[in-house]
């Protein structure tokens, strides 16, 4: 074998010493062949290099849009210091703080403790109330022109650090009980110049826009310019909407609020006008559960029956609905779905910001879907053809979606377990409260608790979308086509397709998603009949890696028959290899349990993934229908139980001790072959 001369570099490597160089200089002692020298046995002698820190720099590899689309999670309902009620609750977080929180940074809660997400979100939108936007904060800041008004003096310094304590709650309640009505009265009678609060609103709106622009990072983190339109019916039924803009290059200088119209149809007219000017936006109604039947009523604002023009305008402007959030879940109600064993999930039975009961009919989304089918059957179009999202409605800038670490939504007012009503009040506190405001205390099994709707709040929720990439354009297009889903907090991924050319063999194919898009429609879509029998639906769900195992995958159907609407729940995939009963359409009990002593749950029970190819056994080709997926986790402790365990007391007996976290897909609507109605966007 021919030996090649060793290069100086190779000799250095072989010798493992710094003695080699291009000019080694004179050497003392006999020449030593490095290859023949005795190798040191001590590692520090062989490798005398100092240990270096690796650092935390990450190499980002750009990728193109994914045609199969990816699941992205976010929150489109977030309030900060610019909302007058959030300021009253002690919130000092700005939109800038909220966006940092969404990306994983900690945020100081009004209660004096830091909060942080389990993992960062993909998109976020600050949605402060347009009504009196920024006015409360300006009233409290003594350097502003507005703070010089007599009406503002009680608010001076309200959220200075020394005033952010529980003892300030009575003052806050009194102050804001008078501030808003007196501000409205002053503007109406001319004693308060309208341009003063208007300039405050314009300034706050511009800061919200600037924050969204600063943190929008295409491909990594998406922000939307947005706000909340806050209105209600005369009977205090909730009619709130969040307005989300597609772009940020052209925007109205002032957001449309209840000051401009109490009627949501006025909001849609304004949005249509903006659209004519090239400004695209959607409105997303929320807390229909607290609307007292007003959100999905069958007459318009003037009291006239709904018609095709109404349906088209509403769907043009409101393609989505928020189905779950802190103030309860609006999927359905036991009074509306008596055959659905899971219909009682996180029911908040009150009209928003009151203790008045809210009537279920016209207040829940599944009922609205059924109403929409009936209206469509009657030829007036479907004004309730919504896709689904979840969001939080936090008023601290920070979403609270973790049952085991719930800090609720209204700042100082629900910052402790006692204030949330999950832990009994002390004897002294209860005695004092009964003396000052007896309506604030309720007695349950001999214990005193805070009497507040907060006990019916939930650690919810999240908006999910299937989009090609994490950008404003891609996510907004997902909103428009309703390829969206909602979760009660966990990051469960749900997919749902329907078509007449789909079958169960696709579930095992590598390119199942591509083929499902090519051969069917995804969640949010219309499925017109081809006259070839029943469609097949492909449904599957993946658990949150940080969450709990899945228990069952369901498809919920609504349909028209004989001039009436109906609904039915079908279990289509069961955990641990179970099979739905062909008669009851229910999975066998998988035996999952919760230990209420420490909230530990059953190990090795439940599934990481559930999937099914399902054909409706009760399908009738002539019946209009909708279908959507609901997936349930195994039971876990509710936040109120976690509070009680940490306090060392028994859970409050009138509250659910456990719950089953869940996710919902947007529906797919089946249209019979003889249905000539146009598809509404």
């Amino acid at each position: 074998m021919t030996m090649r001369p060793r290069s100086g570099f190779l000799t250095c490597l072989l010798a493992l010493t710094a003695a080699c160089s291009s000019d080694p200089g004179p050497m003392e002692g006999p020449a030593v062949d490095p290859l023949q020298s005795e190798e040191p046995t001590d590692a520090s002698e062989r490798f005398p290099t100092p240990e270096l820190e690796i650092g935390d720099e990450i190499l980002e590899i750009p990728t193109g849009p994914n045609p199969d689309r990816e699941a992205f999670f976010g929150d489109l309902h977030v309030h900060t210091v610019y909302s007058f009620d959030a300021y009253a609750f002690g919130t000092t977080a700005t939109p800038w703080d909220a966006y940092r929180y969404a990306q994983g940074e900690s945020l100081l809660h009004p209660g004096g403790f830091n909060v942080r997400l389990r993992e960062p979100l993909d998109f976020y939108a600050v949605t402060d109330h347009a009504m009196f936007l920024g006015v409360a904060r300006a009233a409290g800041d003594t350097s502003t022109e507005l703070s010089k008004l007599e009406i503002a003096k009680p608010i001076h310094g309200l959220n200075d650090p020394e005033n952010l304590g529980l003892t300030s709650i009575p003052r806050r309640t009194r102050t804001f009980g008078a501030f808003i009505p007196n501000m409205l009265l002053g503007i109406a009678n001319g004693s308060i110049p309208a341009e003063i609060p208007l300039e405050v609103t314009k300034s706050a709106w511009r800061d919200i826009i600037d924050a969204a622009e600063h943190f929008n990072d295409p491909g990594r983190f998406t922000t939307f310019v947005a706000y909340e339109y806050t209105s209600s019916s005369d009977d205090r039924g909730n009619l709130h909407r969040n307005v989300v803009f597609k772009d940020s290059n052209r925007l109205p200088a002032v957001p449309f609020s209840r000051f401009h119209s109490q009627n949501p149809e006025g909001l849609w007219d304004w949005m249509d006008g903006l659209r004519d000017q090239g400004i695209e936006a959607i409105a997303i109604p929320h807390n229909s559960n607290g609307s007292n039947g007003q959100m999905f009523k069958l007459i318009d604002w003037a009291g006239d029956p709904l018609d095709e023009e109404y349906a088209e305008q509403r769907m043009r402007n409101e393609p989505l609905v928020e189905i779950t959030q802190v103030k309860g879940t609006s999927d359905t109600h036991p009074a509306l779905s008596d055959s659905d064993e899971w219909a009682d999930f996180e029911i908040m039975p009150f009209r928003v910001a009151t203790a008045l009961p809210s009537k279920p009919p016209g207040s829940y989304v599944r009922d609205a879907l059924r109403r929409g089918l009936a209206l469509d059957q009657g030829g007036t179009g479907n004004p309730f053809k919504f896709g689904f999202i979840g969001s939080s409605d936090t008023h601290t800038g920070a979403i609270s979606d973790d049952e085991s670490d719930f800090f609720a939504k209204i700042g100082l007012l629900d910052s402790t377990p006692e204030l949330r009503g999950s832990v009994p009040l002390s004897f002294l506190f209860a005695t004092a409260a009964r003396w000052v405001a007896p309506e604030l205390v309720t007695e349950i099994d001999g214990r005193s608790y805070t009497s507040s709707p907060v006990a019916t709040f939930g650690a919810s929720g999240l908006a999910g979308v299937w989009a090609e990439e994490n950008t404003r354009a891609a996510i907004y297009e997902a909103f428009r086509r309703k390829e969206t889903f909602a979760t009660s907090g966990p990051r469960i991924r749900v997919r749902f397709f329907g078509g007449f050319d789909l079958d169960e063999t696709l579930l095992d194919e590598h390119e199942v998603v591509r083929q499902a898009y090519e051969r069917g429609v995804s969640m949010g879509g219309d499925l017109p009949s081809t006259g070839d029998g029943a469609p097949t639906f492909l449904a599957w769900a993946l658990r949150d890696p940080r969450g709990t195992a899945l228990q069952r995958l369901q498809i919920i159907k609504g349909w028209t028959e004989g001039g009436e609407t109906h609904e039915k729940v079908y279990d289509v995939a069961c955990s641990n290899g179970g099979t739905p009963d062909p008669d009851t359409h229910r999975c066998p009990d998988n035996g999952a349990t919760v230990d209420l002593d420490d909230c530990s749950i059953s190990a090795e029970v439940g599934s990481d993934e559930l999937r099914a190819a399902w054909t409706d056994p009760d399908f009738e080709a002539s019946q209009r229908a909708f279908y959507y997926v609901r997936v349930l986790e195994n039971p876990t402790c509710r936040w109120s139980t976690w509070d009680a365990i940490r306090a060392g007391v028994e859970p409050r007996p009138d509250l659910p001790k456990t719950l089953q976290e869940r996710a919902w897909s947007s529906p797919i609507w089946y249209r019979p072959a003889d249905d000539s109605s146009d598809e509404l966007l």
Side-chain angles (χ1 to χ4, degrees):
M1 179 181 293
T2 303
M3 298 291 295
R4 297 181 180 272
R6 297 187 182 95
S7 68
F9 177 69
L10 180 58
T11 303
C12 289
L13 289 177
L14 293 172
L16 298 175
T17 174
C20 293
S21 69
S22 57
D23 182 13
M27 299 180 63
E28 296 184 5
V32 177
D33 183 345
L35 295 178
Q36 300 298 322
S37 63
E38 183 176 350
E39 188 176 16
T41 57
D42 186 274
S44 62
E45 295 181 20
R46 294 171 57 218
F47 300 99
T49 339
E51 292 186 0
L52 301 178
E53 292 189 9
I54 186 63
D56 56 3
E57 184 179 3
I58 301 297
L59 181 63
E60 299 282 357
I61 309 297
T63 58
N66 182 352
D68 288 346
R69 297 175 181 151
E70 301 175 50
F72 298 108
F73 292 94
D75 190 348
L76 298 174
H77 196 169
V78 176
H79 294 273
T80 72
V81 67
Y82 288 132
S83 290
F84 67 88
D85 49 355
Y87 187 86
F89 303 152
T91 292
T92 59
T94 67
W96 303 73
D97 297 323
Y99 286 127
R100 293 187 187 98
Y101 174 82
Q103 294 181 86
E105 294 189 24
S106 64
L107 185 147
L108 182 64
H109 188 275
F113 49 88
N114 285 312
V115 294
R116 187 190 295 269
L117 280 168
R118 290 171 285 182
E119 60 179 304
L121 290 168
D122 300 308
F123 60 92
Y124 216 56
V126 168
T127 56
D128 282 311
H129 296 293
M131 188 173 70
F132 284 133
L133 182 67
V135 168
R137 186 195 196 200
D141 179 357
T142 56
S143 68
T144 68
E145 181 181 5
L146 190 146
S147 70
K148 306 301 188 293
L149 299 174
E150 189 67 26
I151 191 176
K153 290 182 179 178
I155 302 178
H156 287 178
L158 183 67
N159 284 346
D160 289 350
E162 62 272 18
N163 294 327
L164 284 174
L166 298 182
T167 56
S168 71
I169 291 178
R171 175 192 171 193
R172 293 172 185 279
T173 304
R174 290 192 306 271
T175 299
F176 280 89
F179 176 73
I180 297 301
N182 289 340
M183 178 68 75
L184 288 169
L185 180 62
I187 294 173
N189 64 27
S191 62
I192 298 176
E195 61 270 16
I196 294 179
L198 179 60
E199 287 306 311
V200 170
T201 290
K202 286 182 175 180
S203 176
W205 178 233
R206 185 54 193 261
D207 191 50
I208 289 169
I209 296 169
D210 289 345
E213 283 301 279
H214 178 82
F215 288 101
N216 190 53
D217 188 4
R220 297 182 179 86
F221 181 69
T222 294
T223 66
F224 288 97
V225 177
Y227 75 92
E228 180 170 337
Y229 166 80
T230 310
S231 186
S232 61
S233 58
D234 291 339
D235 62 355
R236 302 187 71 176
N238 177 77
L239 296 174
H240 299 186
R241 275 96 168 148
N242 289 316
V243 180
V244 180
F245 292 93
K246 179 180 180 180
D247 302 307
S248 59
N249 56 319
R250 297 183 71 241
L251 294 165
V254 177
F256 188 95
S257 75
R258 179 172 178 156
F259 290 153
H260 303 103
S261 177
Q262 181 186 354
N263 178 1
E265 296 164 37
L267 171 68
W268 305 337
D269 289 341
W270 178 74
M271 293 172 65
D272 281 341
L274 290 180
R275 197 169 288 113
D276 291 341
Q277 302 176 60
I279 301 174
E280 168 64 24
I282 60 172
I284 306 173
H286 63 267
N287 279 124
S288 60
N289 58 330
S291 72
N292 200 37
Q294 296 288 343
M295 188 68 81
F296 308 124
K297 62 183 180 180
L298 298 175
I299 55 174
D300 64 16
W301 192 261
D304 298 321
L306 304 185
D307 57 20
E308 190 171 2
E309 182 180 356
Y310 176 96
E312 290 177 351
Q313 184 180 39
R314 184 160 190 172
M315 287 294 91
R316 184 168 59 247
N317 289 291
E318 292 188 354
L320 304 178
V321 65
E322 186 181 287
I323 199 172
T324 184
Q325 63 134 268
V326 170
K327 296 197 302 294
T329 291
S330 301
D331 174 17
T332 193
H333 187 284
L336 301 171
S337 301
D338 57 5
S339 63
D340 184 350
E341 304 94 308
W342 300 272
D344 62 348
F345 179 72
E346 295 297 81
I347 299 295
M348 192 214 52
F350 309 106
R351 290 172 235 182
V352 171
T354 77
L356 300 171
S358 176
K359 293 184 295 188
S363 296
Y364 286 82
V365 173
R366 193 186 304 172
D367 180 48
L369 296 179
R370 290 174 58 175
R371 291 181 174 210
L373 287 183
L375 289 167
D376 206 17
Q377 181 85 33
T380 62
N382 187 344
F384 306 133
K385 201 173 180 182
F386 299 112
F388 300 163
I389 66 161
S391 281
S392 71
D393 194 14
T394 177
H395 278 58
T396 65
I399 177 175
S400 179
D401 64 346
D402 184 353
E403 298 287 339
S404 67
D405 188 23
F406 183 58
F407 49 87
K409 67 160 275 180
I410 51 176
L412 283 171
L413 277 63
D414 56 11
S415 58
T416 69
E418 290 81 6
L419 290 173
R420 291 193 284 271
S422 55
V423 168
L425 298 170
S426 69
F427 174 78
L428 289 177
F429 193 100
T431 301
R434 284 193 204 93
W435 181 263
V436 176
E439 71 278 4
L440 296 181
V441 180
T442 184
E443 297 293 325
I444 301 171
D445 286 359
R447 294 183 176 183
S448 301
Y449 293 88
T450 301
S451 179
S452 167
V454 175
T456 66
F457 286 4
S460 193
L462 285 175
V465 302
W466 290 101
E468 291 85 353
E469 57 186 352
N470 188 358
T471 62
R472 279 182 183 166
I475 293 176
Y476 191 88
E477 286 306 311
F479 297 159
R480 269 289 171 201
R481 65 176 178 267
K482 308 174 192 175
E483 197 172 357
T484 61
F485 58 100
T487 92
S488 60
R491 301 190 189 189
I492 303 169
R493 288 165 168 77
V494 184
R495 299 208 89 147
F496 188 41
F497 294 91
F500 294 91
D501 192 26
L502 303 177
D503 58 68
E504 62 183 356
T505 63
L506 286 178
L507 288 176
D508 295 320
E509 293 197 13
H510 176 65
E511 295 186 330
V512 55
V513 173
R514 180 182 63 79
Q515 293 206 38
Y517 277 123
E518 290 178 357
R519 296 161 60 176
V521 300
S522 181
M523 63 179 79
D526 266 13
L527 184 60
S529 173
T530 63
D532 294 330
T536 295
F537 294 93
L538 303 183
W540 65 97
L542 293 173
R543 68 176 285 182
D544 181 345
R546 297 170 181 258
T548 305
L550 305 179
Q551 183 193 80
R552 67 188 68 217
L553 184 70
Q554 303 175 316
I555 291 181
I556 295 168
K557 176 190 178 183
W559 74 96
T560 58
E561 182 178 3
E564 297 183 351
T565 64
H566 308 269
E567 65 177 64
K568 194 169 185 176
V569 178
Y570 301 84
D571 288 0
V572 299
C574 313
S575 66
N576 302 102
T579 303
D581 183 284
D583 296 321
T584 65
H585 305 291
R586 291 293 180 268
C587 291
D589 184 0
N590 70 357
T593 60
V594 182
D595 186 339
L596 296 179
D597 289 331
D598 59 8
C599 283
S600 58
I601 59 177
S602 306
E604 307 301 327
V605 176
S607 297
D608 294 337
E609 178 182 10
L610 292 173
R611 57 181 183 164
W614 179 79
T615 301
D616 179 1
D618 304 307
F619 179 76
E620 292 288 342
S622 62
Q623 296 172 350
R624 284 173 176 80
F626 63 78
Y627 300 86
Y628 66 91
V629 165
R630 183 176 65 187
V631 58
L632 305 179
E633 287 186 351
N634 282 339
T636 51
C637 274
R638 189 175 187 265
W639 65 264
S640 49
T641 303
W642 278 106
D643 276 358
I645 287 174
R646 292 191 178 109
V649 298
E650 289 294 317
R652 181 168 155 173
D654 64 327
L655 297 179
K657 296 178 178 59
T658 65
L659 49 66
Q660 287 184 264
E661 301 273 26
R662 58 197 63 192
W664 303 260
S665 77
S666 290
I668 292 174
W669 287 267
Y670 166 76
R671 292 191 286 120
D674 60 352
D675 182 3
S676 59
S677 63
D678 293 331
E679 179 181 353
L680 298 176
L681 295 178

